[in-house]
Amino acid sequence: MSQRTMDELCEELLAKRESARQGGGEKAVVRQKEKGKLTARERIELLLDPGTFNEVDEFVHHRCVHFGLDKTVFEGDGVVTGWGLVEGRKVYVFSQDFTVLGGSLGEMHAEKICKIQDMALSTGSPVVGINDSGGARIQEAVDSLNGYGKIFFRNTLASGVIPQLSVIAGPSAGGAVYSPALTDYIFMVEGTGIMHITGPAVIKAVTGEEVTSEQIGGSLANNSKSGNAHFTAKTEVDCFAQVRKLLGYLPQNNLEDAPDKESGDDPMREDMELREIVPVNPNKGYDVREVIRRVVDGADFFEVQSLWARNIVVGYARLGGKVIGIIANQAAHLAGCLDIDASDKASRFIRHCDAFNIPIVTFVDVPGYLPGAAQEFGGIIRHGAKMLYAYSEATVPLITVVLRKAYGGAYLGMCSKALGADMVIAWPQAEIAVMGAEGAANIVFRREIEAAEDSAATRTRKIEEYRDAFANPYVAAERGFVDRVVLPEATRGEIWRALIASENRRDLRPRRKHGVMPH
Ligand code: HXC
């Protein structure tokens, strides 16, 4: 055979590349579109800045010889991998291609993902995984399971070192859900993204319950009921816009700071409306997001897990151009009580901010932990302990703003001075006490109230007495548990100054392998 020319060799490469780009072929792409889904490559285009994708391993394919798979070889093996830019910053990506063997994960498919994870970790760059897969490739049996194990291992090594984001844009079932669950945030596309351990058929066989995939594993189920997912999107276009936005709040890795962005919003800007939003009456509700929006740059608050555990609000914003993480009791839901889910939601968010050098601002208006047998049996003690643990462990600047109620253990749990807050700021109507005035008076003065001729009037008087003595910020301020009592309109400037004061916080902690966090 005569030696081929350079042109012929180049032609061969281009033909091979074209074949790799076809995925599972035209018919499979049509089926993908009929299901309302984009292709793996279209998704990468939506994620990255135009024209910045660099593919790796496009010619990798499986080496399985079972069940006729030796005759069904696809270049790329059902996952497109590489790196590109998001707003000019490097991001590694893998995108499963459902048109190839249902995006199922075999040995080499897993090797491609592992290589991307390794490259991202060694260069300190975020990874975005786009999931659309039938799970373990059945023909590759234990090689496929081993592949998942290697991915989980890398997810864990990278945790807290580089941001890891998962998009669920198709099925993701069985043990395959655990790689996304090991990442920082899960985005789901409504109508097509499905994530569950066992599907409807298994559930029916085992428990007799009749449910659809969407009901147990759809985006709304995972975003509002289980809390497994953090963001929901009506379309894939919206989903990738959200992923890009979130990446804009995160540093490239744990050794860097999150990117500043000037908004032109004066950090010392005052807002008189803040006096009106939080009612002085501790029993009245309001939406704490109104307070947050008025305090942060350009009223731009990017909420995380907005549909789950709504009694606590968490998310990212900027103040004076610097990224901050925000945690706030939501008086509009369950009166802002802390319960099991709220504790889990907040603790994880605290740890994420702490891992990635993002200062935390906590807005407090909390009546206590949610009472009830369901909470006790569900383990509110161990779940609530997570918040104490996460705040105490955090070494990023911690700024606490007490808006109104801060009662009992929940006061401590919401980043009190004793747990390590750098600056505690309180509004004039703040009530920092063991409990509300009514509950306290009924306990402390019970005998006196019962013995009185006019017990109703005595009760009212005693409540007032207690309120005057303790339901204010000054008792705590006298002891230095509150650093500053401030006018509500000055809150933005006060936080800004507190952030500057606590910048470059350095902590000396005992050396250890790692702590044992309550579970
Ligand atoms: C090999 C698979 C596959 C798999 C789908 N395909 N899943 N091939 N291994 N796991 C193939 C199908 O045979 C089909 O090939 C093509 O992908 C498209 O699948 P469809 O069924 O036509 O698509 P759709 O109707 O959209 O249904 C999608 C689906 C379904 C719900 C995901 O395919 C399904 O239930 N697949 C099996 C899921 C599963 O049990 N996976 C193992 C989970 S256990 P053709 O050639 O016909 O187009 C697991 C363990 C992980 O993942 C453990 C980690 C620790």
Side-chain angles (χ1 to χ4, degrees):
M1 197 172 136
S2 64
Q3 179 140 29
R4 288 188 293 165
T5 66
M6 175 60 90
D7 282 349
E8 283 168 341
L9 290 167
C10 290
E11 282 303 316
E12 181 191 40
L13 165 63
L14 293 176
K16 259 175 101 62
R17 177 164 292 160
E18 190 46 36
S19 144
R21 291 185 61 85
Q22 296 305 312
E26 247 171 65
K27 279 191 189 147
V29 171
V30 169
R31 282 200 295 275
Q32 175 84 346
K33 298 278 169 170
E34 282 169 355
K35 291 173 189 157
K37 299 193 289 184
L38 297 177
T39 64
R41 286 173 194 278
E42 286 169 339
R43 289 167 173 162
I44 290 175
E45 277 171 32
L46 282 176
L47 170 70
L48 299 176
D49 297 345
T52 63
F53 181 52
N54 300 271
E55 187 165 355
V56 294
D57 284 344
E58 59 196 313
F59 302 132
V60 164
H61 58 70
H62 72 74
R63 35 190 194 172
C64 174
V65 291
H66 304 298
F67 305 109
L69 219 53
D70 49 337
K71 297 181 193 66
T72 325
V73 168
F74 295 92
E75 306 285 11
D77 207 38
V79 61
V80 183
T81 60
W83 65 275
L85 302 177
V86 172
E87 304 225 347
R89 299 159 77 216
K90 189 166 63 181
V91 170
Y92 282 83
V93 58
F94 66 86
S95 180
Q96 292 182 309
D97 184 351
F98 193 86
T99 69
V100 174
L101 300 167
S104 56
L105 184 139
E107 175 204 13
M108 298 312 287
H109 179 123
E111 286 299 330
K112 284 184 69 173
I113 294 176
C114 289
K115 186 191 273 187
I116 288 300
Q117 292 179 299
D118 291 344
M119 289 172 87
L121 186 58
S122 70
T123 60
S125 322
V127 185
V128 178
I130 306 170
N131 297 269
D132 185 2
S133 167
R137 186 172 296 156
I138 292 158
Q139 299 89 326
E140 295 199 42
V142 77
D143 282 335
S144 150
L145 296 181
N146 187 56
Y148 273 117
K150 290 173 83 170
I151 294 170
F152 300 162
F153 183 76
R154 283 164 176 74
N155 284 137
T156 308
L157 285 191
S159 175
V161 183
I162 51 172
Q164 303 180 81
L165 308 184
S166 300
V167 172
I168 310 294
S172 180
V177 297
Y178 283 119
S179 171
L182 285 166
T183 63
D184 300 325
Y185 289 118
I186 298 180
F187 296 73
M188 290 192 71
V189 182
E190 290 169 28
T192 48
I194 295 287
M195 193 170 63
H196 51 58
I197 292 280
T198 48
V202 174
I203 291 180
K204 180 149 197 304
V206 176
T207 70
E209 290 166 287
E210 294 206 22
V211 284
T212 64
S213 269
E214 184 66 29
Q215 279 168 341
I216 45 155
S219 181
L220 291 179
N222 278 298
N223 271 280
S224 66
K225 286 187 163 43
S226 64
N228 292 327
H230 306 85
F231 300 94
T232 184
K234 297 227 174 304
T235 63
E236 294 196 25
V237 173
D238 175 29
C239 182
F240 288 104
Q242 290 189 43
V243 175
R244 287 175 61 90
K245 175 142 187 172
L246 177 61
L247 284 169
Y249 287 109
L250 304 180
Q252 288 292 92
N253 57 63
N254 64 332
L255 299 179
E256 294 185 16
D257 287 331
D260 295 352
K261 209 181 245 178
E262 259 317 310
S263 67
D265 196 350
D266 178 3
M268 297 305 291
R269 169 177 56 77
E270 296 203 342
D271 189 333
M272 289 305 289
E273 289 292 314
L274 286 171
R275 285 195 184 197
E276 311 301 323
I277 292 168
V278 182
V280 175
N281 179 345
N283 301 324
K284 283 203 168 150
Y286 64 95
D287 188 346
V288 76
R289 289 173 298 190
E290 243 332 274
V291 176
I292 297 169
R293 285 193 205 102
R294 286 180 177 277
V295 166
V296 301
D297 286 357
D300 194 0
F301 175 53
F302 189 62
E303 192 174 348
V304 175
Q305 284 190 310
S306 64
L307 300 178
W308 184 67
R310 291 193 292 163
N311 37 330
I312 204 149
V313 169
V314 304
Y316 301 96
R318 283 188 169 80
L319 206 157
K322 303 234 173 270
V323 175
I324 51 173
I326 292 177
I327 299 173
N329 304 115
Q330 173 58 291
H333 287 277
L334 296 175
C337 268
L338 290 179
D339 64 355
I340 290 170
D341 289 348
S343 303
D344 283 1
K345 176 174 164 180
S347 325
R348 190 161 192 276
F349 186 73
I350 294 163
R351 295 193 104 210
H352 191 266
C353 289
D354 189 44
F356 290 108
N357 312 317
I358 298 174
I360 300 170
V361 178
T362 305
F363 291 95
V364 185
D365 186 0
V366 64
Y369 289 93
L370 186 67
Q375 288 289 310
E376 297 294 341
F377 295 156
I380 180 64
I381 294 174
R382 62 192 163 87
H383 288 279
K386 284 183 214 175
M387 270 184 87
L388 304 174
Y389 191 102
Y391 271 128
S392 301
E393 182 192 49
T395 56
V396 287
L398 301 171
I399 317 298
T400 302
V401 184
V402 184
L403 301 176
R404 198 171 57 169
K405 300 186 290 277
Y407 297 155
Y411 147 66
L412 284 178
M414 289 301 293
C415 201
S416 54
K417 196 76 190 170
L419 290 197
D422 293 277
M423 193 76 76
V424 179
I425 298 165
W427 283 12
Q429 79 262 41
E431 295 182 8
I432 304 173
V434 173
M435 61 177 72
E438 291 185 24
N442 282 335
I443 295 171
V444 179
F445 306 115
R446 183 169 59 91
R447 287 184 206 291
E448 209 176 317
I449 291 169
E450 280 171 4
E453 274 180 22
D454 188 347
S455 56
T458 308
R459 177 178 287 115
T460 310
R461 196 161 36 77
K462 288 293 174 191
I463 290 171
E464 283 313 314
E465 230 172 78
Y466 183 89
R467 187 168 284 140
D468 290 345
F470 295 112
N472 59 60
Y474 300 109
V475 181
E478 282 161 19
R479 285 158 176 75
F481 306 153
V482 164
D483 297 288
R484 286 179 62 74
V485 183
V486 307
L487 300 172
E489 61 268 28
T491 303
R492 175 174 160 84
E494 289 284 345
I495 297 173
W496 172 237
R497 287 187 183 147
L499 286 168
I500 293 171
S502 49
E503 230 170 22
N504 300 326
R505 172 179 163 172
R506 292 278 181 276
D507 281 48
L508 284 177
R509 301 285 166 120
R511 286 169 67 88
R512 61 183 174 186
K513 188 172 172 192
H514 56 69
V516 184
M517 195 181 179
H519 60 105

